[in-house]
């Protein structure tokens, strides 16, 4: 079971890397480019792997802080909602990319500093 947890953490960290990469992909595409769907895939991966980690906690002998997990969940749903609403627009608002990146960094901070 420990291998399954490590595999989920591995995918969770790759998802984080993907979301950070999306910031640079989006910036490089320019202000006139539509929102990249990678934001949606990255946030879905974070939600799926996070929920799986929490769901398997009794089997993997983990005791996660539920307030911390709840806040991370709200942040990631906010990211996914902002992306879902804006992904079909031809030109996203200028505040959107830095806001999405800020929310990703917020979740990394919560993950690391909330002990
Ligand atoms: C943008 C979204 C997210 C980012 C960037 C993120 C980032 C991280 C990072 C960097 C870690 C490793 C922390 C460490 O080992 O010290 C981590 C661990 C974890 N995350 Fe997330 N996370 C996100 C969303 C979520 C969500 C939505 C959930 C749950 C619903 C979740 C549940 C967890 C759990 C349970 C761990 C601990 C895994 C373990 O070490 O066993 N995360 N996250």
């Amino acid at each position: 079971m420990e291998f399954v947890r490590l595999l989920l953490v591995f995918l969770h960290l790759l998802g984080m890397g993907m979301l950070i990469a999306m910031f640079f992909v989006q910036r490089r595409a320019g202000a006139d480019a539509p929102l990249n769907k990678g934001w949606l895939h990255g946030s879905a991966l974070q939600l799926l792997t996070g929920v799986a980690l929490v769901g398997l906690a009794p089997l993997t002998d983990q005791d996660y802080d539920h307030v911390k997990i709840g806040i991370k969940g709200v942040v990631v749903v906010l990211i996914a909602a902002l992306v879902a609403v804006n992904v079909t627009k031809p030109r996203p608002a200028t505040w959107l990319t830095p806001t999405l990146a800020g929310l990703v960094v917020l979740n990394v901070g919560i993950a690391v500093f909330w002990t």
Side-chain angles (χ1 to χ4, degrees):
M1 239 17 222
E2 178 62 3
F3 175 74
V4 176
R5 185 181 75 84
L6 293 177
L7 189 63
L8 287 168
V9 173
F10 174 73
L11 293 173
H12 200 66
L13 293 179
L14 285 181
M16 171 187 70
M18 181 180 177
L19 286 171
I20 296 293
M22 287 322 302
F23 173 71
F24 295 102
V25 169
Q26 197 70 53
R27 286 280 299 252
R28 205 180 170 115
D32 288 329
L35 210 55
N36 194 300
K37 285 195 184 67
W39 288 105
L40 214 51
H41 302 151
S43 50
L45 181 60
Q46 289 311 84
L47 189 60
L48 282 175
T49 52
V51 167
L53 279 164
V54 178
L56 290 175
L59 302 176
T60 53
D61 292 325
Q62 300 299 308
D63 190 17
Y64 299 124
D65 184 325
H66 288 255
V67 179
K68 168 180 172 176
I69 297 299
I71 293 174
K72 283 181 74 182
V74 169
V75 172
V76 93
V77 167
L78 187 59
I79 295 172
L82 281 172
V83 176
V85 167
N86 288 286
V87 78
T88 51
K89 294 185 181 167
R91 192 182 191 281
T94 46
W95 54 265
L96 195 60
T97 301
T99 303
L100 292 172
L103 289 169
V104 173
V105 172
L106 174 66
N107 253 4
V108 178
I110 293 172
V112 173
F113 293 109
W114 189 319
T115 49

